Amino acid sequence: MRWLSTYVGVAALLGAAYAQDPDSHVVVDTETGFTFGEYISDQGITYRLAIPDQAPTTGGYDAVVQIAAPIAIGWAGMAWGGSMTYNPLTLAWRSGTDVIVSSRFAFGYYVPPPYTGATYTVLKTGTHVNTTHWQITAKCTGCTHWGDDDTGVTDLDPTQQNPLAYAYSTVAPETPASNTSSFGIHDSIGHWYHDFAQGVNPGFAALVTKNEGGGAIGTATATSATASATPSDGCPA
Ligand SMILES: *[C@@H]1O[C@H](CO)[C@@H](O)[C@H](O)[C@H]1NC(C)=O
Ligand SMILES: *[C@@H]1O[C@H](CO)[C@@H](O)[C@H](O)[C@H]1NC(C)=O
């Protein structure tokens, strides 16, 4: 029966790993109508994720990412695989009254180059700059599934906690208007366990369409003026 006790031991360890409370919690964003899982870092940078219901466990699914940062933050980023290298990175920063999202993927510890495996649609509602914060809301296609036979394929389980990471700097990128701008090293990084199930939205596709505002599919910038365009457009709660 030796194999049995070994098996039970491994199962107990796995169980312990997943039994911990997530670092994220549920919020309903009245502006966009999305239900998000939300994590707030020590610096007051908010990372929110929304996903469709019935999302497949393999092959990837779209996710809406919302990042809100105090105005003093130069750039903020999140790593979908929980480390800097070999996973999709979502970078965001302010460019005047616009907010830029940039798709990156690091192969080492230098400025991550652009990544075409993940693409973003900025949702104008939920993207703004005000006197205290900048915020971006964008749908990502390609953030929940990545890799190949050489590096290994990763799928983020839509029903589970997944380990994510953030990084930020108070220094703005060199060319803020460009989503391929270079930027300096982070001031700090951190890790968290994000419960993807907290951000399940049955009406996901309809919410994306509603918040897109004017069919701006494929643009990487959005203006700040649109945040108030639909002040009472049937948002829940
Ligand atoms: C920059 O924006 C363009 C136009 O939307 C997009 O095609 C490209 O993938 C973006 N690049 C990065 C690095 O995000
Ligand atoms: C400014 O934006 C932040 C982040 O989106 C938001 O929490 C805050 O309520 C906004 N402030 C005002 C005055 O609208």
Side-chain angles (χ1 to χ4, degrees), residues 171-185:
V171 180
E174 277 173 25
T175 317
S178 168
N179 67 2
T180 56
S181 176
S182 184
F183 53 90
I185 192 168

Side-chain angles (χ1 to χ4, degrees), residues 2 9 48 109 113-114 121 130 145 167 188 197-198 208 210-211 235:
R2 188 181 183 83
R48 293 172 160 180
Y109 293 92
T121 302
N130 64 26
H145 167 94
S188 183
Q198 291 172 338
V208 167
K210 178 185 141 191
N211 286 291
C235 292

Side-chain angles (χ1 to χ4, degrees), residues 31 48 66-69 126 128-136:
E31 187 182 8
R48 293 172 160 180
Q66 183 176 79
I67 300 175
H128 60 243
V129 178
N130 64 26
T131 53
T132 60
H133 290 78
W134 54 262
Q135 174 178 304
I136 190 150

Side-chain angles (χ1 to χ4, degrees), residues 8 42 44 48 53 79 87 96 98 102 113 150 154 172 178 190 199 203 205 226:
V8 169
D42 289 345
R48 293 172 160 180
D53 63 343
N87 63 142
D98 293 346
S102 180
D150 289 341
T154 300
S178 168
T226 51

Side-chain angles (χ1 to χ4, degrees), residues 101-104 113-116 118-120 178-180 217-221:
V101 63
S102 180
S103 180
R104 305 292 178 109
Y115 176 53
T116 56
T119 55
Y120 294 84
S178 168
N179 67 2
T180 56
I217 298 173
T219 63
T221 65

Side-chain angles (χ1 to χ4, degrees), residues 128-211:
H128 60 243
V129 178
N130 64 26
T131 53
T132 60
H133 290 78
W134 54 262
Q135 174 178 304
I136 190 150
T137 307
K139 181 188 76 172
C140 179
T141 301
C143 284
T144 60
H145 167 94
W146 66 90
D148 55 32
D149 290 344
D150 289 341
T151 58
V153 173
T154 300
D155 285 292
L156 296 183
D157 189 330
T159 70
Q160 295 282 353
Q161 295 178 38
N162 292 295
L164 305 182
Y166 69 82
Y168 78 96
S169 172
T170 54
V171 180
E174 277 173 25
T175 317
S178 168
N179 67 2
T180 56
S181 176
S182 184
F183 53 90
I185 192 168
H186 43 70
D187 294 349
S188 183
I189 63 163
H191 300 89
W192 80 96
Y193 278 92
H194 198 103
D195 186 353
F196 277 46
Q198 291 172 338
V200 168
N201 286 261
F204 184 85
L207 279 172
V208 167
T209 302
K210 178 185 141 191
N211 286 291

Side-chain angles (χ1 to χ4, degrees), residues 70-83:
I71 204 85
I73 299 296
W75 60 261
M78 64 168 276
W80 293 79
S83 63

